[in-house]
Amino acid sequence: MNGLLQKYNEYIRLKNCRAEYRLSNGEILDFTYKEESFIHLIGLHKLIDIQMIQLLNDKSNKKVKTGYIISRIKKGRLTDEMVKKSSFYKEISVRYDKFSYDNLTKLTYTDAIINFNSKRINSKIKSDYLLFEEEDEGYNHLGIATDTLTKNRYIETFFYQNTDMYIKGQTVVKVNSFTLYSSDGKIIVTDNFLKIKEH
């Protein structure tokens, strides 16, 4: 199977599911997985030598939107092979390779940056929360932003960074628990990190 389509099919299992993280400072961070977030999360928007991605990034273009790109993935018109042939693939290769249902729903995001200050590192990230975990010699990050119109939170970005540049100098709190709810409100998975720490 086309690897890009497989990644989309894994992600779509989360459509309209709600993730809830309870933080050690008493805050509850929750967001709903939306289909339209897939393109940005996996990094396709950075592959600007693929014509349909150029059109997606062109604000004046009214035809090519996220739904169009997703339909091309489903029909096999935008494939894993095309993604990996892009001259810009190296910019997203780690994110792309690590992108999976398991990495998006991992119970090991044990820390969170609150009120993330992107100016500290000259980043374009809009997220106000960054969940992170150590992996290998770096960190997986899951960025959560707030929609300015609806005030709802959404996943803005998922990436791996081999340094602590996104963490250093930021306000970090512990994640106490994680729960993933299905679209009809049933618990899919839950974990309490405090229990783990007590053993």
Side-chain angles (χ1 to χ4, degrees):
M1 178 187 270
N2 164 6
L4 177 57
L5 180 58
Q6 186 174 346
K7 289 175 186 297
Y8 169 78
N9 287 336
E10 280 197 24
Y11 178 75
I12 208 64
R13 291 169 52 196
L14 292 167
K15 183 178 178 181
N16 297 324
C17 289
R18 185 173 64 87
E20 180 183 274
Y21 290 84
R22 292 185 178 265
L23 308 180
S24 61
N25 67 346
E27 288 186 56
I28 297 173
L29 172 60
D30 68 337
F31 56 87
T32 302
Y33 291 92
K34 297 294 184 188
E35 182 177 26
E36 57 269 18
S37 300
F38 176 75
I39 303 298
H40 190 83
L41 288 177
I42 202 162
L44 295 182
H45 63 290
K46 293 183 178 272
L47 306 181
I48 57 175
D49 57 347
I50 297 175
Q51 186 178 17
M52 67 180 87
I53 302 301
Q54 288 173 1
L55 293 171
L56 175 71
N57 290 335
D58 180 356
K59 301 296 181 210
S60 66
N61 184 296
K62 303 295 181 207
K63 182 180 178 195
V64 177
K65 300 286 181 209
T66 303
Y68 177 82
I69 302 296
I70 288 172
S71 74
R72 302 290 91 190
I73 293 169
K74 289 179 183 176
K75 292 177 180 176
R77 304 262 168 83
L78 179 58
T79 65
D80 191 65
E81 182 181 359
M82 292 167 70
V83 167
K84 290 181 176 174
K85 280 185 178 175
S86 168
S87 301
F88 298 93
Y89 177 68
K90 63 185 175 296
E91 291 182 28
I92 70 161
S93 62
V94 174
R95 178 195 311 202
Y96 189 84
D97 290 341
K98 289 183 177 291
F99 191 91
S100 68
Y101 177 89
D102 289 339
N103 277 340
L104 288 172
T105 60
K106 258 188 182 172
L107 306 183
T108 54
Y109 287 112
T110 56
D111 296 274
I113 296 167
I114 58 171
N115 303 316
F116 175 68
N117 184 348
S118 59
K119 292 178 183 150
R120 236 177 241 269
I121 55 170
N122 199 24
S123 169
K124 294 179 182 176
I125 291 177
K126 297 174 188 161
S127 297
D128 39 4
Y129 293 88
L130 274 183
L131 296 165
F132 66 93
E133 64 168 342
E134 284 189 58
E135 183 175 294
D136 301 325
E137 304 208 2
Y139 302 87
N140 281 331
H141 297 77
L142 191 63
I144 313 302
T146 304
D147 185 299
T148 53
L149 295 176
T150 66
K151 303 300 180 203
N152 293 329
R153 292 191 184 110
Y154 64 95
I155 301 178
E156 179 199 13
T157 188
F158 166 77
F159 62 95
Y160 175 84
Q161 176 67 37
N162 59 4
T163 69
D164 66 352
M165 70 180 278
Y166 287 85
I167 302 164
K168 196 173 182 180
Q170 303 283 351
T171 304
V172 177
V173 297
K174 289 291 184 189
V175 173
N176 288 344
S177 67
F178 166 77
T179 305
L180 181 64
Y181 297 92
S182 64
S183 57
D184 61 359
K186 294 180 181 153
I187 293 176
I188 296 172
V189 67
T190 190
D191 196 2
N192 185 327
F193 295 107
L194 294 178
K195 288 179 184 173
I196 294 171
K197 291 170 192 168
E198 289 169 4
H199 288 101

